Amino acid sequence: MKAIILALAVFGVAYVSSQGEPWCRCAMFVSSPHAEWMVYELPEVPITDCESHNQCKNRCTKEFNEMTNEMDLWSTVSNATVGQYICEDLYSHFIFFIHNSYVHAYYEMCGGPWEYTGLDSQQMLCCDRGEHKHCIS
């Protein structure tokens, strides 16, 4: 029995090692009482290995802050607001309305679970059929 467990452990290490270069994904999510939606994925950031959680988290945090102007949904990037890009993406996935929801920043490393960076949007997100709107409480 010990030989089987040892063989499986060696196989598991060999499999993970053969998967190639380490990678780190950065994405923004909106939570609701019934679902969690990825609303925007930023470009992957380079990391040195699949054990570098702080490296992945820090690089994603830097990317979120640079690409969204510190998670400001009303900041303009390439002629549209950060929130508009998010609302358009949600609309393309048949999510037509979002009201009073904060956007949260997460990172994923080498196929592991999504982990919270500690960043949230400065404002709440409100989308009406793909259009970024000001939220009314």
Side-chain angles (χ1 to χ4, degrees), residues 74-87:
W74 287 100
S75 181
T76 302
V77 178
S78 300
N79 299 322
T81 65
V82 171
Q84 182 60 38
Y85 286 111
I86 293 170
C87 291

Side-chain angles (χ1 to χ4, degrees), residues 55-117:
Q55 185 181 58
C56 182
K57 178 183 177 181
N58 292 339
R59 289 185 179 175
C60 278
T61 297
K62 182 179 180 199
E63 186 170 64
F64 287 123
N65 286 332
E66 288 175 355
M67 293 186 75
T68 66
N69 193 24
E70 309 285 326
M71 298 289 287
D72 180 0
L73 299 180
W74 287 100
S75 181
T76 302
V77 178
S78 300
N79 299 322
T81 65
V82 171
Q84 182 60 38
Y85 286 111
I86 293 170
C87 291
E88 287 173 5
D89 188 67
L90 287 167
Y91 189 78
S92 74
H93 292 97
F94 305 104
I95 300 166
F96 304 118
F97 300 99
I98 294 285
H99 293 288
N100 299 333
S101 296
Y102 284 99
V103 179
H104 312 286
Y106 285 82
Y107 68 96
E108 177 198 27
M109 188 174 72
C110 302
W114 285 101
E115 298 184 50
Y116 180 53
T117 63

